Amino acid sequence: MAWRLNEHAAPETPSETRSKPPASGPLCPWREPAADLARFFPAATRYATETRILSGLRDELTLQLGRRPTGDENALHVHRVYQDQTPLGNVLTGRVKAEHGALEVAVATTLDGAVQGVRVQRLREPSPVAVALQDPKWLASFTGHRARDE
């Protein structure tokens, strides 16, 4: 099933399946929502979490990633951010395998899909790599980019 991340689109109803999809690994949690909301969306008053199943986008994701998505990449938490009832943007979380363990990121996006900000939530890399991955200038370089940008 494919789900759109477009806040203004009409809700889609998943089609029923005869068998359950294969189980995947646990989704990446959002570890510091209050701090991230203050950092990326200072006017936010709340957020709501949705889970999107991405298996219907497998072919498109394969082209974008240059490889087949793993089972762990079959679902995604989308944290919709609001000021009262007014949508402000989204926060997406993701986990990838790095050389020394899991690397987790939180990515804030505007309503039109541009990156608002990026924060490394968790990493186990050696100090020189960790410092580079958490460099504010490097993280800020993603701001304004969209998923389809190179």
Side-chain angles (χ1 to χ4, degrees):
M1 293 176 269
W3 292 90
R4 286 183 275 184
L5 295 177
N6 184 344
E7 177 69 27
H8 303 292
E12 296 178 5
T13 305
S15 61
E16 291 185 26
T17 58
R18 293 184 184 167
S19 64
K20 292 183 179 182
S24 63
L27 293 173
C28 181
W30 189 10
R31 298 195 181 276
E32 297 179 22
D36 288 342
L37 289 175
R39 178 183 294 122
F40 301 128
F41 301 101
T45 56
R46 67 183 184 93
Y47 69 92
T49 302
E50 301 172 8
T51 302
R52 297 295 186 213
I53 305 301
L54 306 176
S55 58
L57 300 171
R58 213 156 186 58
D59 291 338
E60 182 180 342
L61 289 170
T62 298
L63 289 173
Q64 291 290 317
L65 295 171
R67 61 173 173 77
R68 296 287 296 172
T70 66
D72 291 350
E73 298 169 319
N74 188 49
L76 177 70
H77 280 318
V78 179
H79 308 281
R80 306 277 188 200
V81 180
Y82 299 87
Q83 180 180 22
D84 300 320
Q85 298 303 314
T86 305
L88 298 176
N90 306 291
V91 174
L92 306 153
T93 56
R95 178 186 297 132
V96 296
K97 184 179 180 199
E99 188 172 336
H100 295 274
L103 172 68
E104 296 180 359
V105 296
V107 179
T109 65
T110 61
L111 292 174
D112 67 352
V115 173
Q116 178 95 354
V118 178
R119 183 178 67 80
V120 176
Q121 297 193 120
R122 181 174 278 185
L123 73 162
R124 293 188 173 103
E125 299 305 298
S127 182
V129 175
V131 167
L133 289 172
Q134 296 178 85
D135 177 33
K137 288 181 185 177
W138 184 71
L139 292 172
S141 73
F142 294 97
T143 302
H145 290 277
R146 291 177 166 67
R148 297 195 189 277
D149 291 349
E150 289 191 23

